[in-house]
Amino acid sequence: MNTNLELCCPLKSEETMGMLLDYTAGKLDAPQTAALEGHMALCMDCCEFHSAQDAVWAALDCWEAAPVSMDFNHRLWQKIDAEKAAPWYSKAGLRNLFAQFSPSVWKPAASLAAAVLLVTAGFVLDHTTPHVNVPSNSDTLSVSLAEADQLAQTLSDIQLLHQMEAAGAETPEVE
Amino acid sequence: MSQGVNTFGAASAALDFDAELMLRVKEGDEDSFRVLLEKHRNPLVHFLYRMVQDQPVAEELAQEVFLRIYRSRATYEPTAKFTTWLFRIATHLALNSLRDGKNERGQERLDDERDGELPTRQVADRGPTVEQSMLYQARLQEVRDAIASLPEKQRAAVLMHKYEEMDYSQIAKVLECSESAVKSLLFRAYETLRSRLAHMSAGGLK
Ligand SMILES: [Zn+2]
C-alpha cells in the first residue's frame, strides 16, 4: 500500500481509499498510521471522511446479535442422525449418494449423459417418422390444383376452337 | 461490540487447525465436527442474522450450512480456508433466502423483538431511563434499516468486513470476485451508510 501520503491523497483512488477504511477499523500498522495521520493533519477531505466513517463504525458497533438458541446443536444432530438413518433412495439418501462424487466427476458425466440422450433421441425420431412430403399449407395445394384444372380446361377449349375453325373452312357455304 | 466480532480473527489464525479437524471428520471423527461447530456456530449465526434480520431464519440457514459441511466430509480437500468455505456457503444460502422472500416475516419479528428488548450494554450500567432506552432503540432501528437498505452483496461485504473482521482478499474469496470489486462494494456500501448514519456522533451510542 502506498504510504507516500505527502504526494497522494488516499481519497483520490479506490485502491488507496481502503487505507482510510483500515485506519478506522484499526487495521493499519504503525508506519502507515503515522503517515496517514500526518496527511490528515493537512487534508480536510480525509479528516471529514474519517470522522464520518468513525461515526458509522460506532453506530454499527451498537448492533449486538441475539444469542443463539440453546438447542441449536441438538436440532442439528437430530437432522444429521435422520439423514444417516434415511434409506439411500430417500431425498437425503440420494443427496448423500451424490455427495460421494465431487463436481469434477459428475459434471462431465452429466454432460456426457445429456449428449448420449440427445443422439439417441435423434436416432429414434429419424427412424420412426415416415418420409412423406406433406405440404405445410393445404390452401396452397387446393389453389394449385384448381389452377392446373383451369389451365387444362383452357387448352381443351382452344383445341376445340381450332377444330371448329378447321371444320368451318372445309364446309362449303350454304346458299 | 458483538460476540462475533473478534472470533473470526482468531479463527483465521487457526486455519490449519480447522482444516486438520475437517480432515479428521472426513475420517469419521464426529468429535472434531463438534469442535468446529462450537467454534464457528456463533459467528455464523450472527452473520446470517444480520444478513436476513430474522433469528429463526438465520438459525435455520446456519443449520443448513453445517449440514452441507457434514455431508461434504467424504470429499473434503483443504484447498481453501475452512472459514472461507463456511462463509461462502452461508452467503450463498442467505442471498437465496433473501431472493426467495423466506424471511418475509422478518420485519414483523423484529418489531416483536424490539417490544421486549432491552439493550444489554445499558442494562449493565446503572439502568437506562425510559428516554435513554427509547433513544437507543430508535438508533438501533436506524442501523438495522441502513444495513437492510444495502444491496445484498454490499451488505454481505460490509458484515464480513465490520463484524467478522475479514480482510479484502478473504471477502473476495467468499464472494468469488476480485479484491478491487470487493473494495468497490465496500466503498459504495460505506458511502450509503455514512449518508444515513454519520449524524450519529461516534460517542453517542456508547
Ligand atoms: Zn486526503
Side-chain angles (χ1 to χ4, degrees):
Chain A
M1 193 175 280
N2 181 16
T3 55
N4 188 13
L5 297 168
E6 294 81 10
L7 298 172
C8 181
C9 173
L11 281 176
K12 285 186 178 161
S13 93
E14 282 197 345
E15 275 304 307
T16 49
M17 250 204 284
M19 198 173 190
L20 280 163
L21 295 183
D22 290 342
Y23 176 70
T24 308
K27 287 180 180 174
L28 288 188
D29 59 23
Q32 286 176 324
T33 301
L36 185 59
E37 285 176 347
H39 171 80
M40 283 199 298
L42 304 168
C43 180
M44 190 56 74
D45 289 343
C46 281
C47 258
E48 281 174 7
F49 181 99
H50 168 64
S51 173
Q53 184 65 19
D54 204 33
V56 167
W57 210 250
L60 295 179
D61 270 342
C62 89
W63 188 11
E64 295 183 27
V68 180
S69 302
M70 297 291 282
D71 66 344
F72 183 93
N73 290 11
H74 177 68
R75 283 186 286 133
L76 178 65
W77 283 107
Q78 273 186 328
K79 287 178 188 173
I80 289 173
D81 291 341
E83 284 201 3
K84 279 186 194 166
W88 69 270
Y89 52 82
S90 70
K91 194 181 168 193
L94 277 178
R95 204 161 41 208
N96 290 338
L97 186 69
F98 283 118
Q100 304 302 310
F101 302 101
S102 65
S104 60
V105 173
W106 62 257
K107 279 187 179 170
S111 304
L112 184 66
V116 168
L117 189 67
L118 200 65
V119 169
T120 309
F123 180 82
V124 169
L125 286 173
D126 193 48
H127 285 75
T128 53
T129 308
H131 291 273
V132 177
N133 289 326
V134 181
S136 58
N137 190 335
S138 57
D139 289 336
T140 310
L141 176 66
S142 63
V143 168
S144 300
L145 285 173
E147 281 172 349
D149 202 32
Q150 198 176 7
L151 183 65
Q153 186 65 48
T154 308
L155 286 170
S156 173
D157 288 347
I158 290 169
Q159 195 178 8
L160 185 65
L161 192 65
H162 280 301
Q163 282 171 355
M164 283 171 72
E165 280 175 351
E170 286 167 11
T171 308
E173 280 184 18
V174 179
E175 292 182 358
Chain B
M1 198 168 275
S2 79
Q3 281 175 284
V5 170
N6 290 318
T7 45
F8 189 81
S12 301
L15 158 72
D16 293 336
F17 184 54
D18 283 345
E20 201 178 300
L21 284 170
M22 198 55 211
L23 287 170
R24 284 189 212 157
V25 177
K26 184 179 183 176
E27 287 162 11
D29 179 11
E30 288 197 343
D31 284 342
S32 292
F33 185 74
R34 285 177 211 278
V35 175
L36 285 169
L37 174 61
E38 279 305 313
K39 188 174 176 181
H40 298 289
R41 181 193 54 217
N42 287 2
L44 190 72
V45 174
H46 293 165
F47 167 73
L48 287 164
Y49 168 67
R50 291 186 176 107
M51 274 299 285
V52 300
Q53 301 210 8
D54 183 305
Q55 187 69 15
V57 171
E59 290 197 9
E60 193 183 306
L61 293 174
Q63 295 230 332
E64 181 60 25
V65 174
F66 283 113
L67 265 179
R68 289 188 184 197
I69 297 275
Y70 189 82
R71 279 183 205 133
S72 307
R73 67 196 182 284
T75 52
Y76 175 73
E77 294 296 336
T79 50
K81 276 186 178 181
F82 179 82
T83 41
T84 302
W85 184 35
L86 191 76
F87 276 83
R88 188 182 292 170
I89 300 171
T91 304
H92 176 74
L93 290 175
L95 295 183
N96 280 348
S97 172
L98 289 167
R99 284 165 197 166
D100 293 350
K102 275 187 186 171
N103 57 325
E104 276 169 356
R105 275 197 24 84
Q107 202 53 44
E108 290 171 42
R109 286 202 183 106
L110 277 177
D111 293 340
D112 295 345
E113 283 168 23
R114 276 195 299 277
D115 288 342
E117 191 177 15
L118 281 171
T120 50
R121 184 181 290 130
Q122 293 189 21
V123 168
D125 295 336
R126 288 177 212 111
T129 63
V130 175
E131 289 79 11
Q132 281 173 327
S133 182
M134 284 173 70
L135 184 63
Y136 177 87
Q137 292 302 338
R139 287 178 164 180
L140 188 58
Q141 184 55 31
E142 264 192 89
V143 172
R144 283 168 159 164
D145 289 346
I147 291 285
S149 75
L150 296 174
E152 294 155 359
K153 261 195 161 178
Q154 288 185 27
R155 196 186 315 176
V158 163
L159 296 180
M160 284 186 270
H161 182 251
K162 166 64 184 154
Y163 296 105
E164 311 309 325
E165 294 188 344
M166 288 190 198
D167 57 27
Y168 304 119
S169 73
Q170 188 162 15
I171 297 170
K173 282 173 191 159
V174 172
L175 295 179
E176 295 175 278
C177 60
S178 66
E179 264 188 59
S180 62
V182 166
K183 283 183 182 175
S184 185
L185 282 173
L186 284 171
F187 294 139
R188 277 183 280 143
Y190 281 124
E191 198 172 14
T192 305
L193 294 178
R194 282 194 301 275
S195 71
R196 293 186 63 139
L197 303 174
H199 65 277
M200 298 183 182
S201 64
L205 287 156
K206 290 179 178 172

